[in-house]
Amino acid sequence: MENDTVSFYFNLTMFVNIGHYRYPAFIFCLLIYSFILSANLVIILVISREKTLHEPMYLFIALLSINSLYGSTGFFPRFLIDLLSDTHLISRPACFIQIYTLYTYASYEMTILGIMAYDRYVAICHPLHYHRKMTSKTLIKLATMAGIFPAFLIILCVSLSARLPLCGHEIQKIFCANWNVVKLSCVTTVVNNIYGMLTAIVTVFLPLFYVLYTYTQIVLICWTKSAEFKGKVLQRCLPHLLSFVIYSLVAFCDVALSRYNLEETNPFVAVMLWLELAIVPPVLNPLVYGLKLPEIRRHISRMFSWYKK
């Protein structure tokens, strides 16, 4: 029986025994998950039903909200069950499905933010060519690329890890992560390490550098313009820039923590840092865009006023 457990299950060891506090924690996380679902659904509904918001910038915001629903649904149901459970075993297929879901969610977030940076760059630096460059066909191509390319890279990465013979079953995390599984391998993992690094470069660092490049160009353009122009640019770009900075910081914390010796880390601090990736972007994205962009805020207010009547 023990051999079957080692072969077919992983044990998520970072769940801290919090006794009776598990129930308030469960209710708190359930409320957060409920807010993520409702807030992002409102953003999607408003953008889809209002024809005046059928512009590239707002459609990309809707994609961010769809991705938030995808990533949070891939994390929270299992996490909520584990909060109330005394054992935290997860089958190997379920573990690799969770890895695929969370890693594609993270990659989609970065690629969508990169495409949004391109949209802002064209709108501000090449306004006369904006409608010629950002056509419906271009939007479909960009959205398709943002969806298919990361998924292809991640599924190869997960497939390489799933083939490894493992000499253990304990994962020091509250969810399955590729690096933690690879560390359990009985054989060399050079191929996995190289491919994992290439995947990180393509899905994380290239969008990161591209966003930095586009905003450098935007700042240079704004430098010579009037205060009114700078104000309009700031109003348009600030929500995207906030989302990008927040997500980059959260992702950096997760990557840094996965390489750190967890025995020297407070378990509660480690759990809270891991929760940031699943909670902070899906919670803040609808707040940032819903409150900062007047067009979305106005339509949300109008929609709720209509429902009250």
Side-chain angles (χ1 to χ4, degrees):
M1 185 67 181
E2 180 65 18
N3 289 337
D4 290 341
T5 301
V6 173
S7 300
F8 296 106
Y9 288 89
F10 292 108
N11 184 20
L12 304 174
T13 62
M14 285 302 290
F15 278 93
V16 182
N17 184 9
I18 56 176
H20 295 296
Y21 290 107
R22 70 172 64 184
Y23 300 107
F26 174 85
I27 294 173
F28 176 71
C29 291
L30 181 61
L31 290 174
I32 290 177
Y33 182 43
S34 301
F35 173 81
I36 290 172
L37 293 179
S38 57
N40 284 284
L41 283 173
V42 166
I43 294 292
I44 295 169
L45 180 62
V46 166
I47 293 175
S48 62
R49 66 180 290 185
E50 298 295 338
K51 292 185 178 181
T52 57
L53 298 181
H54 291 180
E55 299 179 9
M57 181 177 70
Y58 301 111
L59 295 178
F60 292 137
I61 292 172
L63 281 180
L64 276 182
S65 290
I66 292 172
N67 189 48
S68 294
L69 296 178
Y70 168 68
S72 57
T73 302
F75 171 77
F76 272 101
R78 168 77 201 192
F79 177 72
L80 291 171
I81 292 172
D82 279 327
L83 277 177
L84 299 181
S85 177
D86 293 324
T87 59
H88 307 102
L89 297 179
I90 181 171
S91 67
R92 288 190 65 166
C95 182
F96 287 114
I97 290 173
Q98 187 179 62
I99 290 173
Y100 175 80
T101 303
L102 295 180
Y103 279 49
T104 49
Y105 153 71
S107 300
Y108 290 157
E109 192 82 6
M110 189 60 82
T111 52
I112 293 170
L113 289 172
I115 292 173
M116 291 175 72
Y118 172 73
D119 174 70
R120 294 299 83 208
Y121 167 74
V122 175
I124 295 168
C125 299
H126 303 283
L128 299 179
H129 303 285
Y130 180 77
H131 293 290
R132 180 175 61 83
K133 290 186 175 183
M134 298 302 293
T135 62
S136 299
K137 186 179 293 186
T138 302
L139 293 180
I140 293 173
K141 287 181 179 179
L142 290 174
T144 302
M145 180 184 68
I148 294 178
F149 193 55
F152 176 74
L153 293 176
I154 300 300
I155 200 169
L156 286 180
C157 186
V158 173
S159 298
L160 286 173
S161 300
R163 295 175 57 195
L164 291 174
L166 305 180
C167 290
H169 70 290
E170 292 189 348
I171 296 178
Q172 290 183 300
K173 239 175 180 181
I174 57 174
F175 55 86
C176 287
N178 188 66
W179 173 245
N180 296 78
V181 172
V182 170
K183 287 194 296 185
L184 299 175
S185 174
C186 303
V187 297
T188 180
T189 59
V190 174
V191 175
N192 297 73
N193 295 338
I194 293 175
Y195 185 80
M197 184 62 67
L198 291 175
T199 302
I201 290 173
V202 172
T203 60
V204 177
F205 292 106
L206 287 182
L208 171 66
F209 289 132
Y210 183 73
V211 171
L212 294 176
Y213 167 77
T214 54
Y215 272 94
T216 300
Q217 297 301 311
I218 290 173
V219 169
L220 292 176
I221 290 291
C222 291
W223 192 264
T224 59
K225 301 294 183 178
S226 64
E228 182 181 359
F229 181 84
K230 292 176 183 176
K232 290 180 179 178
V233 170
L234 183 63
Q235 186 183 61
R236 289 278 180 167
C237 294
L238 185 59
H240 173 260
L241 195 57
L242 283 174
S243 296
F244 175 74
V245 170
I246 290 168
Y247 180 76
S248 297
L249 291 175
V250 169
F252 174 79
C253 289
D254 180 72
V255 172
L257 192 62
S258 67
R259 303 285 173 165
Y260 192 71
N261 185 5
L262 293 177
E263 295 179 356
E264 302 175 3
T265 307
N266 186 309
F268 180 77
V269 174
V271 169
M272 293 306 297
L273 288 174
W274 281 323
L275 283 175
E276 284 182 351
L277 191 63
I279 291 177
V280 175
V283 167
L284 288 186
N285 280 342
L287 291 178
V288 167
Y289 291 109
L291 297 177
K292 283 292 183 181
L293 292 179
E295 294 88 348
I296 294 181
R297 186 172 65 246
R298 183 172 62 253
H299 286 297
I300 290 176
S301 300
R302 185 183 302 171
M303 184 179 72
F304 281 107
S305 299
W306 184 83
Y307 282 124
K308 288 179 181 179
K309 293 180 180 180

